[in-house]
Structure formats: C-alpha cells, structure tokens
Amino acid sequence: MTLLAQVKHVVQQFAEAVSAALKVDVEVYDRQERIAGTGKARELIGRPILENGIISRFVYQGAGQKKIIIDNPGKDEKCRPCSYFGLCHYRRAVYATIEYEDGVIGVIGIVAENDDQVKLIEYNNYAMLEFVDKIANLISSKVKEHQMLRQVKTYAELMGTVMDNIDKGVAVLNKRFEIVDINKYLLEKLAVSKNRVQGRHIHDFFPALVLNKAKAAGITPGCQEIVYTVSNKQIYLLCTLKVIVVNEELEGSLCLVEDYKDTTQLAYAIASKHNDIGLDDIVGDNPQFVQFKDRVRNVAINDSTVLLTGETGTGKELFARALHSASRRKPQPFVAINCGAIPESLLESELFGYEKGAFTGASQMGKHGKFFMANKGTLFLDEIETLPLYLQPKLLRAIERKEIERIGGVRGIPIDVRIIGATNVRLDELVKKGEFREDLFHRLNVVTLFIPPLRERGRDVLVLAEYFVNKFAERFNKKILGLSAEVENIFLNYGWGGNVRELQNAIEYAINMEKGDYITVDNLPFQFKEVKVTKRIPTLEEVEMDYIKKALDFYGWSEEGRITAARQLGISRATIYRKIKKYELA
C-alpha cells in the first residue's frame, strides 16, 4: 500500500473540504491510481493513472514538474499524446505535487467542468496554484504524522514484545506510581489479569515498597525484598525502582521485579554447570568400581533419597554431583553444605533461612536457606552425622512433608528437593548410642551406596596416578612422563587411608619436587618412604613391556618417536610395532 493510500480517508476529507469551499472539483492521485476525488472524479476512485496522460508524463516519467496549469485540457498540446485528447470533459486544471522525504508520492488537482468553475480558476490561476500547493503540503504533513504514529506504534509493539520476553517482571509507573503497563512475567507472578492492574497504584500490590525517596528527589531506593501472597502461598520478590527522567523532569518509574527463588536457583544452576561432573568423568577401571558406578547410574534416574557412605577421601561429593548430573534435575541447582564445617548455632539458618528481624543481628531482608535455594534441584548434606539432635526433627519434617519453615516464620514453604546425604561413619551405630535419630536414619537410608576404598580397587591406584600426573604436570608446565617402577610398587602396597584425596595430594607434592622425567621415591611425601613393598622379580615380559612404554613415553608415540625408541632399545622397527600390539600399548 502506498503512503497516500494509507491516509486516503484523510485525503478524501481534504478534497471534500476544498470542493465545498471553492465550488470546484478535486482529484488526488498516488503513483498508481486515483485515491480521492469529488464530483465525477469521485466515481473514478481506484482507476489507474493513464500512462500517456499529463500527470504520468510530466510528473512521474522524467519531466519532474511540480506545478502544472492546463488552460484547455483535451486540446492543449501537452495533452496530445493522451488517449482522451479532444474528448476530455475537463475544461481547466491546476495540479501540484505531494512530496515526502524529497520524493513525489502523489498529485492533487483542482479541475473545472462548468463555466463558473472555469472563470474561478481562469481569473485566479496562480493563486489557485499556490492554494493547491498549500493543500499538498498539508497532505504531506498528514503522511508524515501517520508514519510517525506507525513508527511509535511499531516501537510500542516492539517494546511490548521485549518486555513480555524478559525473564523478569517489569511494571511501568507514572508520576503518581500508578501502573501504566506491565509484562506477562509479572502478571503471572501476581496471578492477575492486565485490565485489573492498569491504573492501580503499585502499593495496591506491594504495600511495603519504599517510594518516598524516588518521589521526592528522583533517587531510587536500593533492591527491596517484598513478600507477596498468591493462593495462600508466599512468594519472595526482589523489587528495584528505576526513575524515568525526561528533560531533567521525573516522568515516572520502572519497577523491576525478580523472583528471589528463580534468581538464586539460576545462580546456583550456573555454578553447578561450572562444576558439572558425570559418572564417565570419575576415573577407574577396577571391575568392582565399574559395577558401583553402574549402580549409581541406575539410582540417579529416580528421586529416592540417597546416603553415600565410605571412608574419607573416596569422593562422596564427586558422586553426589554425578548423581545430580545423571538425573532429571540436572538443569536445576546442585547445592552442597558441609554440616560439620558450620557452627551449630548457624547451621539452622544456613539450612532453613530466617525471617527479617527473627533474632538480634538478623538481616533486615531476612535470609533464604540452602533448602530454598536448591528447590527443584539437589541438596547435598555432607558429614550428616554431625547434624545436631535438635535439628534432626526439622530435617525429617522437610523430607517427609516437602516443606520448610524459616526461623521466625509462621507458615511452611513448599520445596521440591532431592536429598543426598554423605557420611564416613556407621549411622546405625550412632542410632544405637542415641546420637542420631532412628526415624531420620531410616528416611536417609532409602538407598545406601558404599564407595569402595582405593586399596580395594587394585591397579586403579596407577590409573588414577597417571590421571593426576597429567593434570598437575600440565598445570605446573612440567614434563613428567609417569611413575618410576619403584613408586608404582610402593603405591600398590600402600594402605591409602586418605584414599583418592591422599593420592591426589601425593602426586601434586611429587610434581612440585620432581626435576626428572619420572616421579621417584625421593620426591614422595614422607609417609611413603617406609612402605614395605612386596619383593618380587618381574617376568621378562613385564620388564620388556615396561621399558618399551618408558622409551615411547620419552621419545614420543609418533612414527618418528617409535623408530627412535626401537633404535635405542636395539630392536627393529617391525619388532617394536609387534610388541606394541602384543602388550596393547597403543
């Protein structure tokens, strides 16, 4: 649709006004057809422009005339190419172009069909021409106005779309803090329709929201926590006011609203992804350990409470994260808390949170605990055996009823959290001693997974050692190829009371100290110096495999490295390739 066609109802009004005032007929064309007119011209609205007519030739096809006076239409030489030459019912005509942004978008003309109209135009030719030009300018201004309104409407629709697609509540307030506009996110949070909100004061929904500073001086208060009740359930919102200043005058405010739970969960979910660990990332080839990982994988797909047991350093948090990553809760937060690392007096508020002013020194905004932050996700409670007896009923209630109550709170907050507990002691023995509640023990003991200690995983100690050597050698920018044969023997005979954590620390220490290509006994921590190793003479095949591997580690596993290794070992290229295949080294 052409620019003039978009405002043709306005153009028609102009034509009728001019016609009524001057008692002449008016016609208006865009670049395609007649779009407005009076008298006979009105009957021809919608007819296309004549290709060989005056307007087409003199305005649109190159002549570029902006004002035209035709004294004798149908007989004037200008009209000769027209198909209506000699037949035109017009007796006099005055035309002026309608322009927009330096371009011609149409033509308006005053035409005479009777003697009175002819005389009027004949005696006022140039005055009529100026008048028509003024009307053309008025029409042009209406086109500009229409385009500006369209642009404003487009921008408004665009801003509406943007607002509705923001994962945050947005309310536009006027000077009186009445709601002018509001997005879908906030409507859903408030559980109201748009027509019930517009025009209402923001205090009708958030009575505790501080407005005075913003109203008085254009200074917005900081982020404020607001409690809003929907269907007898409280939701915690963070509200921030941003003033709208135009020409140094306060014109309104933006009220930005976030769901505290959603914001916190997003932060924890992002943090969880940075520490995302899958079962395939946990190193170990021992058959018993592989079977254990399979059991973990089977348990992960359900929401059952899990109790991870095992000696210190076996990787309980590692497996807790792997359980979360393999579950349907993976996109949601993984929140970990060590019950033994937090003072008993603070543990309840850390787990369950507190209301503002709940006790002396409490934050005026209150605090949400780890349960609240882990909603929809997983809460890992490490060293759960250290949980004080007075808190155990509260944890039991949270597991059974799926709701928590903050310190100083008067109502429960529903939560959907998977619990993974971890301990390195026998909880059943603590139950017998009265140091752990039996009902809580049975709630936690739905699925118990015992992580095997490192000393029971056979040669996994060497597999893990190689992993840690590569990890720390790269971190410290050192070229360490592996363990010496003596160190391997020591590791296989060591008790590993600290399990994988102790192995990792031992390797990190040795990498720091070692200056050669292989970690030697001299550069191990002191506790390994007195390890009694099994005295056994290795077989010839073991010695051969060990030396071939060390030579390849030293010279490289590339084609050139294998040839050099073979030459240094005194064997042929074909032989080293045969041995590599035999010992499955590649």
Side-chain angles (χ1 to χ4, degrees):
M1 185 180 289
T2 64
L3 293 174
L4 276 180
Q6 293 174 24
V7 293
K8 60 183 179 182
H9 63 288
V10 176
V11 175
Q12 181 64 33
Q13 289 174 1
F14 272 115
E16 290 173 357
V18 171
S19 178
L22 301 180
K23 307 302 180 183
V24 292
D25 286 329
V26 180
E27 59 182 2
V28 183
Y29 300 86
D30 62 10
R31 297 184 71 94
Q32 299 172 1
E33 62 187 23
R34 185 184 275 109
I35 64 163
T38 62
K40 290 183 179 179
R42 183 168 192 145
E43 299 172 5
L44 301 175
I45 291 175
R47 295 277 186 92
I49 293 176
L50 294 174
E51 290 186 11
N52 54 4
I54 288 285
I55 293 172
S56 181
R57 288 185 293 111
F58 282 84
V59 177
Y60 295 143
Q61 292 182 5
Q65 291 189 22
K66 296 187 177 182
K67 298 176 183 178
I68 305 172
I69 297 176
I70 304 175
D71 292 324
N72 198 1
K75 296 179 182 179
D76 195 305
E77 282 300 312
K78 296 175 184 176
C79 299
R80 185 170 292 279
C82 179
S83 55
Y84 284 90
F85 184 72
L87 303 174
C88 185
H89 58 274
Y90 291 159
R91 296 173 58 187
R92 191 170 291 272
V94 177
Y95 294 103
T97 57
I98 304 168
E99 299 180 19
Y100 177 74
E101 293 185 347
D102 299 326
V104 176
I105 60 171
V107 176
I108 180 171
I110 292 177
V111 295
E113 296 188 30
N114 57 51
D115 292 339
D116 292 337
Q117 291 174 339
V118 169
K119 289 177 182 179
L120 179 64
I121 295 176
E122 183 179 3
Y123 295 126
N124 301 280
N125 259 353
Y126 291 101
M128 285 292 180
L129 193 58
E130 288 300 314
F131 179 76
V132 171
D133 190 46
K134 296 293 184 185
I135 299 300
N137 289 336
L138 283 173
I139 294 174
S140 178
S141 68
K142 286 296 179 181
V143 171
K144 290 178 184 177
E145 181 182 313
H146 178 74
Q147 291 305 111
M148 288 178 65
L149 289 173
R150 282 193 63 189
Q151 197 171 44
V152 168
K153 184 179 178 182
T154 300
Y155 286 153
E157 291 176 353
L158 176 63
M159 291 306 299
T161 302
V162 171
M163 281 178 59
D164 284 338
N165 283 278
I166 293 175
D167 290 330
K168 181 185 290 190
V170 181
V172 182
L173 313 178
N174 61 20
K175 291 180 181 180
R176 297 181 297 278
F177 296 100
E178 295 165 341
I179 298 171
V180 176
D181 199 4
I182 188 169
N183 70 345
K184 288 181 180 178
Y185 178 97
L186 190 50
L187 287 173
E188 290 173 0
K189 287 295 176 187
L190 301 180
V192 292
S193 60
K194 197 166 188 175
N195 59 359
R196 286 188 56 201
V197 171
Q198 286 181 316
R200 300 271 297 278
H201 196 281
I202 191 66
H203 273 169
D204 291 345
F205 300 95
F206 305 143
L209 191 65
V210 177
L211 304 174
N212 292 338
K213 291 181 180 179
K215 187 174 182 180
I219 301 171
T220 55
C223 184
Q224 303 173 61
E225 184 176 295
I226 304 295
V227 180
Y228 185 77
T229 303
V230 180
S231 301
N232 295 322
K233 292 182 181 179
Q234 291 183 327
I235 58 174
Y236 295 85
L237 304 173
L238 296 175
C239 298
T240 305
L241 282 177
K242 300 286 185 182
V243 295
I244 302 171
V245 178
V246 180
N247 295 326
E248 299 183 357
E249 290 289 331
L250 180 65
E251 293 295 335
S253 310
L254 280 180
C255 182
L256 306 178
V257 181
E258 298 179 75
D259 188 313
Y260 185 96
K261 187 184 294 185
D262 292 344
T263 304
T264 307
Q265 285 180 333
L266 178 61
Y268 269 91
I270 292 172
S272 298
K273 290 186 185 301
H274 285 301
N275 298 302
D276 200 11
I277 293 171
L279 283 166
D280 293 336
D281 299 320
I282 301 177
V283 178
D285 297 333
N286 177 265
Q288 178 189 358
F289 190 68
V290 171
Q291 288 178 5
F292 174 76
K293 286 168 63 175
D294 287 339
R295 288 198 296 275
V296 172
R297 188 174 283 108
N298 291 337
V299 170
I301 59 177
N302 301 311
D303 272 350
S304 299
T305 301
V306 176
L307 182 63
L308 294 170
T309 65
E311 298 177 7
T312 181
T314 50
K316 290 184 282 295
E317 182 169 345
L318 210 63
F319 276 103
R321 290 185 179 277
L323 272 164
H324 175 75
S325 294
S327 74
R328 65 177 179 82
R329 296 176 181 264
K330 180 179 179 179
Q332 304 302 327
F334 175 90
V335 179
I337 183 170
N338 189 317
C339 300
I342 298 173
E344 187 174 310
S345 58
L346 299 178
L347 187 56
E348 182 176 6
S349 64
E350 282 295 317
L351 283 172
F352 303 103
Y354 59 81
E355 299 290 347
K356 59 183 179 181
F359 50 85
T360 303
S363 167
Q364 289 306 302
M365 287 186 65
K367 179 177 180 178
H368 297 289
K370 294 294 191 289
F371 267 99
F372 189 90
M373 295 173 181
N375 195 50
K376 304 296 184 184
T378 302
L379 179 63
F380 174 56
L381 302 173
D382 199 6
E383 295 188 27
I384 199 168
E385 74 279 1
T386 64
L387 190 70
L389 275 170
Y390 80 91
L391 273 184
Q392 292 180 22
K394 199 164 184 176
L395 175 59
L396 179 64
R397 176 187 174 91
I399 296 173
E400 288 183 336
R401 301 190 60 176
K402 296 188 181 300
E403 70 174 26
I404 58 170
E405 189 174 299
R406 305 206 302 184
I407 298 174
V410 295
R411 64 179 67 194
I413 301 172
I415 48 116
D416 174 16
V417 174
R418 184 183 195 178
I419 302 292
I420 300 178
T423 181
N424 58 6
V425 301
R426 292 278 300 270
L427 288 185
D428 57 335
E429 294 294 334
L430 294 182
V431 170
K432 291 177 183 177
K433 296 177 184 178
E435 296 175 4
F436 202 87
R437 288 182 62 106
E438 184 176 5
D439 48 4
L440 178 59
F441 168 67
H442 289 304
R443 272 295 179 185
L444 294 170
N445 198 36
V446 177
V447 177
T448 300
L449 296 172
F450 176 75
I451 306 173
L454 185 56
R455 62 181 171 275
E456 295 179 7
R457 291 170 56 182
R459 295 184 68 83
D460 264 3
V461 64
L462 301 183
V463 175
L464 282 162
E466 181 181 7
Y467 170 78
F468 290 130
V469 166
N470 293 333
K471 174 183 175 180
F472 291 114
E474 181 180 355
R475 181 183 297 178
F476 302 148
N477 197 26
K478 283 191 170 186
K479 186 179 180 182
I480 307 292
L481 302 176
L483 310 178
S484 68
E486 188 176 6
V487 170
E488 286 185 355
N489 207 358
I490 288 173
F491 278 9
L492 288 170
N493 286 274
Y494 184 66
W496 298 111
N499 291 289
V500 180
R501 185 184 295 118
E502 184 181 10
L503 173 61
Q504 177 176 318
N505 293 342
I507 296 295
E508 183 174 0
Y509 174 89
I511 296 287
N512 272 288
M513 300 299 170
E514 189 58 64
K515 295 182 179 178
D517 294 329
Y518 289 88
I519 293 175
T520 59
V521 179
D522 293 338
N523 291 311
L524 291 179
F526 72 92
Q527 68 265 34
F528 295 94
K529 303 292 176 67
E530 298 177 359
V531 176
K532 294 181 180 180
V533 300
T534 304
K535 300 296 183 181
R536 183 179 74 84
I537 299 176
T539 65
L540 288 175
E541 282 193 344
E542 288 174 338
V543 172
E544 182 179 58
M545 180 177 70
D546 184 51
Y547 272 87
I548 289 174
K549 185 176 183 300
K550 287 180 178 179
L552 289 168
D553 284 340
F554 187 81
Y555 293 109
W557 290 76
S558 64
E559 176 74 14
E560 183 180 350
R562 295 181 183 193
I563 293 172
T564 305
R567 184 167 61 249
Q568 293 299 319
L569 291 170
I571 58 178
S572 68
R573 173 182 172 183
T575 300
I576 198 169
Y577 271 94
R578 189 170 66 254
K579 298 293 185 181
I580 290 172
K581 183 177 180 181
K582 175 182 177 182
Y583 297 128
E584 298 180 348
L585 295 176

Short mmCIF file of all heavy atoms in Angstrom, two decimals, residues 446-479:
data_model
loop_
_atom_site.label_atom_id
_atom_site.label_comp_id
_atom_site.label_asym_id
_atom_site.label_seq_id
_atom_site.Cartn_x
_atom_site.Cartn_y
_atom_site.Cartn_z
N VAL A 446 17.26 -44.79 52.49
CA VAL A 446 16.42 -45.39 51.45
C VAL A 446 17.30 -46.16 50.45
O VAL A 446 17.07 -47.32 50.15
CB VAL A 446 15.60 -44.31 50.72
CG1 VAL A 446 14.78 -44.93 49.59
CG2 VAL A 446 14.68 -43.59 51.70
N VAL A 447 18.29 -45.48 49.91
CA VAL A 447 19.27 -46.13 49.03
C VAL A 447 20.65 -45.80 49.58
O VAL A 447 21.06 -44.63 49.58
CB VAL A 447 19.16 -45.63 47.57
CG1 VAL A 447 20.24 -46.27 46.71
CG2 VAL A 447 17.79 -45.92 47.00
N THR A 448 21.36 -46.79 50.05
CA THR A 448 22.71 -46.59 50.57
C THR A 448 23.73 -47.10 49.56
O THR A 448 23.61 -48.22 49.07
CB THR A 448 22.90 -47.32 51.92
OG1 THR A 448 21.95 -46.81 52.85
CG2 THR A 448 24.30 -47.11 52.46
N LEU A 449 24.70 -46.26 49.26
CA LEU A 449 25.75 -46.63 48.31
C LEU A 449 27.10 -46.51 49.01
O LEU A 449 27.47 -45.42 49.46
CB LEU A 449 25.71 -45.70 47.09
CG LEU A 449 24.44 -45.77 46.23
CD1 LEU A 449 24.45 -44.66 45.18
CD2 LEU A 449 24.30 -47.12 45.56
N PHE A 450 27.79 -47.62 49.12
CA PHE A 450 29.10 -47.63 49.78
C PHE A 450 30.19 -47.50 48.72
O PHE A 450 30.32 -48.35 47.83
CB PHE A 450 29.30 -48.92 50.57
CG PHE A 450 30.67 -49.04 51.19
CD1 PHE A 450 30.99 -48.28 52.32
CD2 PHE A 450 31.63 -49.88 50.64
CE1 PHE A 450 32.26 -48.38 52.89
CE2 PHE A 450 32.89 -49.97 51.20
CZ PHE A 450 33.20 -49.22 52.33
N ILE A 451 30.95 -46.43 48.81
CA ILE A 451 32.02 -46.19 47.83
C ILE A 451 33.25 -46.99 48.26
O ILE A 451 33.77 -46.78 49.36
CB ILE A 451 32.37 -44.69 47.75
CG1 ILE A 451 31.11 -43.87 47.46
CG2 ILE A 451 33.43 -44.43 46.70
CD1 ILE A 451 31.33 -42.37 47.53
N PRO A 452 33.72 -47.89 47.40
CA PRO A 452 34.86 -48.73 47.80
C PRO A 452 36.12 -47.90 48.02
O PRO A 452 36.39 -46.95 47.28
CB PRO A 452 35.03 -49.69 46.62
CG PRO A 452 34.34 -49.04 45.47
CD PRO A 452 33.25 -48.21 46.04
N PRO A 453 36.92 -48.25 49.05
CA PRO A 453 38.17 -47.52 49.29
C PRO A 453 39.19 -47.81 48.19
O PRO A 453 39.09 -48.83 47.49
CB PRO A 453 38.64 -48.05 50.64
CG PRO A 453 38.01 -49.40 50.76
CD PRO A 453 36.70 -49.32 50.04
N LEU A 454 40.16 -46.95 48.06
CA LEU A 454 41.14 -47.07 46.98
C LEU A 454 41.96 -48.35 47.09
O LEU A 454 42.30 -48.97 46.07
CB LEU A 454 42.07 -45.84 47.01
CG LEU A 454 43.10 -45.72 45.89
CD1 LEU A 454 42.43 -45.76 44.52
CD2 LEU A 454 43.92 -44.45 46.05
N ARG A 455 42.27 -48.80 48.30
CA ARG A 455 43.12 -50.00 48.48
C ARG A 455 42.42 -51.27 47.98
O ARG A 455 43.08 -52.29 47.76
CB ARG A 455 43.52 -50.16 49.94
CG ARG A 455 42.36 -50.35 50.88
CD ARG A 455 42.82 -50.48 52.33
NE ARG A 455 41.67 -50.45 53.22
CZ ARG A 455 41.12 -49.34 53.68
NH1 ARG A 455 41.62 -48.16 53.33
NH2 ARG A 455 40.08 -49.39 54.48
N GLU A 456 41.08 -51.21 47.80
CA GLU A 456 40.34 -52.38 47.32
C GLU A 456 40.08 -52.31 45.82
O GLU A 456 39.36 -53.15 45.27
CB GLU A 456 39.00 -52.49 48.06
CG GLU A 456 39.15 -52.78 49.55
CD GLU A 456 37.81 -52.87 50.26
OE1 GLU A 456 36.78 -52.84 49.55
OE2 GLU A 456 37.78 -52.96 51.49
N ARG A 457 40.66 -51.33 45.16
CA ARG A 457 40.40 -51.14 43.73
C ARG A 457 41.57 -51.58 42.85
O ARG A 457 41.65 -51.22 41.67
CB ARG A 457 40.06 -49.67 43.46
CG ARG A 457 38.73 -49.26 44.05
CD ARG A 457 38.50 -47.77 44.01
NE ARG A 457 38.61 -47.20 42.67
CZ ARG A 457 38.49 -45.91 42.38
NH1 ARG A 457 38.23 -45.06 43.39
NH2 ARG A 457 38.62 -45.47 41.16
N GLY A 458 42.48 -52.38 43.43
CA GLY A 458 43.56 -52.97 42.64
C GLY A 458 44.43 -51.93 41.95
O GLY A 458 44.90 -50.97 42.57
N ARG A 459 44.61 -52.12 40.65
CA ARG A 459 45.52 -51.25 39.89
C ARG A 459 44.89 -49.89 39.53
O ARG A 459 45.52 -49.09 38.84
CB ARG A 459 45.98 -51.98 38.61
CG ARG A 459 46.83 -53.22 38.90
CD ARG A 459 47.33 -53.83 37.61
NE ARG A 459 48.30 -52.99 36.94
CZ ARG A 459 49.61 -52.95 37.22
NH1 ARG A 459 50.10 -53.70 38.22
NH2 ARG A 459 50.42 -52.16 36.55
N ASP A 460 43.69 -49.63 40.05
CA ASP A 460 43.09 -48.30 39.84
C ASP A 460 43.97 -47.20 40.41
O ASP A 460 43.93 -46.05 39.95
CB ASP A 460 41.71 -48.23 40.49
CG ASP A 460 40.59 -48.52 39.48
OD1 ASP A 460 40.92 -48.83 38.31
OD2 ASP A 460 39.42 -48.43 39.85
N VAL A 461 44.78 -47.55 41.43
CA VAL A 461 45.66 -46.55 42.01
C VAL A 461 46.64 -46.03 40.97
O VAL A 461 46.98 -44.83 40.95
CB VAL A 461 46.41 -47.12 43.24
CG1 VAL A 461 47.33 -48.26 42.85
CG2 VAL A 461 47.18 -46.01 43.95
N LEU A 462 47.08 -46.91 40.05
CA LEU A 462 48.01 -46.48 39.00
C LEU A 462 47.27 -45.71 37.90
O LEU A 462 47.81 -44.77 37.31
CB LEU A 462 48.74 -47.69 38.40
CG LEU A 462 49.56 -48.52 39.39
CD1 LEU A 462 50.29 -49.65 38.67
CD2 LEU A 462 50.56 -47.63 40.14
N VAL A 463 46.04 -46.13 37.62
CA VAL A 463 45.22 -45.41 36.63
C VAL A 463 44.97 -43.99 37.11
O VAL A 463 45.12 -43.00 36.35
CB VAL A 463 43.89 -46.14 36.40
CG1 VAL A 463 42.99 -45.34 35.46
CG2 VAL A 463 44.14 -47.53 35.82
N LEU A 464 44.58 -43.85 38.39
CA LEU A 464 44.34 -42.53 38.96
C LEU A 464 45.63 -41.71 39.04
O LEU A 464 45.63 -40.50 38.80
CB LEU A 464 43.72 -42.66 40.35
CG LEU A 464 42.23 -43.00 40.37
CD1 LEU A 464 41.83 -43.55 41.75
CD2 LEU A 464 41.40 -41.78 40.05
N ALA A 465 46.74 -42.39 39.38
CA ALA A 465 48.03 -41.69 39.47
C ALA A 465 48.41 -41.09 38.12
O ALA A 465 48.87 -39.94 38.04
CB ALA A 465 49.12 -42.65 39.94
N GLU A 466 48.20 -41.85 37.05
CA GLU A 466 48.51 -41.33 35.72
C GLU A 466 47.64 -40.12 35.39
O GLU A 466 48.11 -39.12 34.83
CB GLU A 466 48.28 -42.43 34.67
CG GLU A 466 48.59 -41.98 33.25
CD GLU A 466 48.33 -43.08 32.23
OE1 GLU A 466 47.79 -44.14 32.61
OE2 GLU A 466 48.66 -42.87 31.05
N TYR A 467 46.36 -40.18 35.78
CA TYR A 467 45.45 -39.06 35.55
C TYR A 467 45.94 -37.81 36.28
O TYR A 467 46.00 -36.71 35.72
CB TYR A 467 44.05 -39.44 36.03
CG TYR A 467 43.08 -38.29 36.07
CD1 TYR A 467 42.46 -37.82 34.92
CD2 TYR A 467 42.78 -37.65 37.29
CE1 TYR A 467 41.57 -36.74 34.96
CE2 TYR A 467 41.90 -36.58 37.34
CZ TYR A 467 41.29 -36.13 36.18
OH TYR A 467 40.42 -35.08 36.22
N PHE A 468 46.32 -37.98 37.56
CA PHE A 468 46.76 -36.81 38.35
C PHE A 468 48.12 -36.30 37.88
O PHE A 468 48.38 -35.09 37.93
CB PHE A 468 46.81 -37.17 39.84
CG PHE A 468 45.46 -37.35 40.46
CD1 PHE A 468 45.16 -38.48 41.23
CD2 PHE A 468 44.46 -36.40 40.29
CE1 PHE A 468 43.93 -38.65 41.80
CE2 PHE A 468 43.20 -36.56 40.86
CZ PHE A 468 42.94 -37.69 41.61
N VAL A 469 49.01 -37.21 37.43
CA VAL A 469 50.31 -36.77 36.89
C VAL A 469 50.09 -35.86 35.69
O VAL A 469 50.68 -34.77 35.58
CB VAL A 469 51.18 -37.98 36.51
CG1 VAL A 469 52.36 -37.54 35.63
CG2 VAL A 469 51.70 -38.69 37.75
N ASN A 470 49.24 -36.29 34.77
CA ASN A 470 48.96 -35.46 33.58
C ASN A 470 48.33 -34.13 33.97
O ASN A 470 48.66 -33.08 33.40
CB ASN A 470 48.03 -36.22 32.63
CG ASN A 470 48.70 -37.45 32.03
OD1 ASN A 470 49.92 -37.50 31.91
ND2 ASN A 470 47.91 -38.45 31.67
N LYS A 471 47.40 -34.17 34.93
CA LYS A 471 46.71 -32.96 35.36
C LYS A 471 47.66 -31.93 35.95
O LYS A 471 47.68 -30.75 35.54
CB LYS A 471 45.63 -33.34 36.39
CG LYS A 471 44.93 -32.16 37.03
CD LYS A 471 43.93 -32.63 38.09
CE LYS A 471 43.29 -31.46 38.84
NZ LYS A 471 42.31 -31.94 39.87
N PHE A 472 48.52 -32.37 36.90
CA PHE A 472 49.39 -31.41 37.58
C PHE A 472 50.62 -31.06 36.75
O PHE A 472 51.14 -29.94 36.87
CB PHE A 472 49.79 -31.95 38.96
CG PHE A 472 48.66 -32.00 39.93
CD1 PHE A 472 48.17 -33.21 40.41
CD2 PHE A 472 48.05 -30.82 40.36
CE1 PHE A 472 47.12 -33.25 41.30
CE2 PHE A 472 46.99 -30.85 41.26
CZ PHE A 472 46.52 -32.06 41.73
N ALA A 473 51.07 -31.97 35.91
CA ALA A 473 52.19 -31.64 35.03
C ALA A 473 51.80 -30.52 34.07
O ALA A 473 52.58 -29.60 33.80
CB ALA A 473 52.64 -32.88 34.26
N GLU A 474 50.57 -30.60 33.56
CA GLU A 474 50.09 -29.55 32.66
C GLU A 474 49.90 -28.23 33.43
O GLU A 474 50.27 -27.16 32.94
CB GLU A 474 48.77 -29.98 32.03
CG GLU A 474 48.19 -28.95 31.06
CD GLU A 474 46.88 -29.41 30.43
OE1 GLU A 474 46.46 -30.56 30.68
OE2 GLU A 474 46.29 -28.61 29.69
N ARG A 475 49.36 -28.32 34.64
CA ARG A 475 49.13 -27.12 35.43
C ARG A 475 50.43 -26.42 35.79
O ARG A 475 50.52 -25.19 35.75
CB ARG A 475 48.36 -27.46 36.70
CG ARG A 475 48.07 -26.26 37.58
CD ARG A 475 47.36 -26.66 38.87
NE ARG A 475 46.06 -27.26 38.64
CZ ARG A 475 45.27 -27.72 39.61
NH1 ARG A 475 45.67 -27.62 40.88
NH2 ARG A 475 44.10 -28.26 39.32
N PHE A 476 51.48 -27.21 36.13
CA PHE A 476 52.76 -26.63 36.55
C PHE A 476 53.75 -26.50 35.40
O PHE A 476 54.91 -26.16 35.62
CB PHE A 476 53.37 -27.47 37.67
CG PHE A 476 52.48 -27.61 38.89
CD1 PHE A 476 52.50 -28.75 39.66
CD2 PHE A 476 51.60 -26.60 39.25
CE1 PHE A 476 51.69 -28.88 40.78
CE2 PHE A 476 50.77 -26.71 40.35
CZ PHE A 476 50.83 -27.86 41.13
N ASN A 477 53.26 -26.82 34.17
CA ASN A 477 54.10 -26.69 32.98
C ASN A 477 55.40 -27.50 33.11
O ASN A 477 56.50 -27.01 32.87
CB ASN A 477 54.43 -25.22 32.72
CG ASN A 477 54.93 -24.99 31.30
OD1 ASN A 477 54.63 -25.76 30.39
ND2 ASN A 477 55.73 -23.95 31.11
N LYS A 478 55.24 -28.77 33.51
CA LYS A 478 56.39 -29.67 33.65
C LYS A 478 56.18 -30.89 32.75
O LYS A 478 55.04 -31.27 32.46
CB LYS A 478 56.53 -30.15 35.10
CG LYS A 478 57.15 -29.11 36.02
CD LYS A 478 57.50 -29.75 37.37
CE LYS A 478 58.34 -28.83 38.22
NZ LYS A 478 58.79 -29.50 39.47
N LYS A 479 57.29 -31.48 32.34
CA LYS A 479 57.22 -32.69 31.51
C LYS A 479 57.52 -33.90 32.39
O LYS A 479 58.66 -34.32 32.53
CB LYS A 479 58.19 -32.62 30.34
CG LYS A 479 58.04 -33.78 29.37
CD LYS A 479 59.01 -33.68 28.20
CE LYS A 479 58.83 -34.86 27.26
NZ LYS A 479 59.80 -34.82 26.13
#
